[in-house]
Amino acid sequence: MTQNIYQQLGLKQVINACGKMTILGVSSVAPEVMQATARAASSFVEIDRLVDRTGERVSRYTGAEDSYITSCASAGIAIAVAAAITRGDPHRVALMPDSTGMANEVVMLRGHNVDYGAPIGTAIRLGGGRVVEVGASNLAARWQLESAITDATAALLYVKSHHCVQKGMLEIEDFVQVASIHNLPLIVDAAAEEDLHSWVASGADMVIYSGAKAFNAPTSGFITGKQRWISACKAQHHGIARAMKIGKENMVGLVTALAHYHQGQAVVSAEQLQPVAEAISAIRGFHADIEQDEAGRAIWRIRVRVNAGELGLSAREVEAQLRGGEIAIYARRYNLHQGVFSLDPRTVAEGEMALIVARLKEIAEHAAD
C-alpha cells in the first residue's frame, strides 16, 4: 500500500471517523482546489485588492453585502468582536485587545458559551470583548437577553453548533429583534454550518464560517454580512488581525472550494449506513444504530454502544484502543461517559469502514482471551 505524505514523515496512518475536526486536519481538500492554491502561491498580487475581490466572490454565495476572509473561524470571532468594539476607528483598532473605557461586553447565552477545542471566551477576549452570559445552562428567556443590554454592550453573539445546549435556548429571531431594537451588531458563529444563505438572511450583521469544514477548503474562514461591519473587520488587519492573517494562496483556495461546493457532494444516508451498523452489532459486546447530527444537520452517523459487562471493556477503553492501534482510528467521543461513541462516514475513505469493523472484532476477540 502506498504511504501518504504523513506516513513518509514517520507518522501513523489515520482513519478519521470523527468528522471534520481540527485535531485531524479538518478536511480532505480536492485536487482542483489545491491546484488553484498552488498557482496562487507561485505569483505576486496586491493583497488589499485580493482581500476585496475574494470578499466579493464569497458574497456571491452568501448573499451578503460584503465578506472578509480570515485564517479560520476562531480568528473570525476575535476579528468580528474587535470590529463591534472599535467600529473600525483606527485609534481603537491599534489599542486592541485592550478595550479599557470602551463598550466591550458581548452578550451570549450561557448554553452557547462552549469549548470547541479552545474556549469561545478566549477568542472573544482576543478581540477585546468581555463575555456576559444570559440565562441558565439549559434554559433562557428573552427578557433575560433584553435585561443584559447596557451602555457597555458592544454586540450580541449567537452560536450555532453541535457543542451548544440544544434545548431551552432562544431562537435566532429573538437575537435579531433585540439587536435591532438596541442598534447593536449581531454576530453569528456558524463555523461548521453548511447553509451559506440562511444566517445572513436572518438579519445577522456578521456571520462567521470555517472554510475548511463544510466547504472542504484549505485552512481558512470568513466573515460575511453587512458592509459597515465587514469594513470594520477589514480595519482589524492593522491591529489584531495582523497576527491572524491568511495567505494569498488560501484565499484563492477558499473561493475555489466555494465554487465547487455541492457539485457532486453526496450525503451519506441512514439506509447506506445500516449494513455497517448491523455488522458492528454482530460483534460481541457492541450494539450499533443510526443517529442524526446533534444540531439537526442532514448528517447521519453510526452510534456504537459498548456493553462493558459483556465485552469486559468500557467505551473509553475501546476508543483508546482504536486510537492506539497501528492505524489510528478516531471516533467521535463526546458521549463516552454514557458508554457510547460514534462513527462519522463523511471523512471515512472507501474501504476504511471495513477496517474499522475488523478492528472492533479484533478488540472483542482479544478482550475474550
Side-chain angles (χ1 to χ4, degrees), residues 111-112 114 137-138 158-169 171 293-297:
H112 286 188
V114 297
S137 297
N138 64 336
Y158 184 91
V159 182
K160 175 62 175 176
S161 170
H162 68 277
H163 293 295
C164 294
V165 175
Q166 301 297 326
K167 63 178 183 179
M169 299 294 101
E171 301 294 333
D293 175 67
E294 305 94 321
R297 294 174 293 173

Side-chain angles (χ1 to χ4, degrees), residues 52-73:
D52 290 340
R53 182 58 53 85
T54 53
E56 291 169 5
R57 289 292 179 92
V58 170
S59 300
R60 293 182 187 178
Y61 303 108
T62 66
E65 294 174 5
D66 199 4
S67 303
Y68 175 61
I69 299 181
T70 66
S71 59
C72 61

Side-chain angles (χ1 to χ4, degrees), residues 269-290:
S269 69
E271 291 74 18
Q272 289 172 298
L273 294 176
Q274 192 59 43
V276 181
E278 292 171 0
I280 293 173
S281 294
I283 304 171
R284 182 183 65 84
F286 295 104
H287 174 75
D289 60 6
I290 310 301

Side-chain angles (χ1 to χ4, degrees), residues 20 22 26-27 70-74 189-193 196 207-223 254 258:
K20 298 181 179 183
T22 299
V26 192
S27 293
T70 66
S71 59
C72 61
S74 189
D189 174 11
E193 288 294 288
L196 280 164
V207 183
I208 299 155
Y209 289 90
S210 167
K213 289 187 177 176
F215 312 117
N216 296 330
T219 303
S220 58
F222 57 95
I223 309 168
L254 172 62
L258 289 178

Side-chain angles (χ1 to χ4, degrees), residues 170-250:
L170 296 176
E171 301 294 333
I172 185 63
E173 292 79 9
D174 294 303
F175 274 75
V176 170
Q177 291 166 17
V178 172
S180 177
I181 290 168
H182 293 276
N183 195 30
L184 290 167
L186 169 59
I187 303 167
V188 173
D189 174 11
E193 288 294 288
E194 300 178 338
D195 189 328
L196 280 164
H197 302 280
S198 63
W199 298 102
V200 170
S202 74
D205 298 284
M206 292 175 274
V207 183
I208 299 155
Y209 289 90
S210 167
K213 289 187 177 176
F215 312 117
N216 296 330
T219 303
S220 58
F222 57 95
I223 309 168
T224 186
K226 295 177 181 173
Q227 177 70 53
R228 66 172 292 199
W229 295 112
I230 298 303
S231 293
C233 289
K234 292 179 181 180
Q236 309 310 312
H237 184 74
H238 301 288
I240 65 163
R242 180 71 177 186
M244 310 170 189
K245 65 184 178 183
I246 181 172
K248 59 191 178 182
E249 62 281 356
N250 282 15

Side-chain angles (χ1 to χ4, degrees), residues 5 11 33 151 218 280 287 293:
I5 187 66
L11 301 172
V33 174
D151 290 341
I280 293 173
H287 174 75
D293 175 67

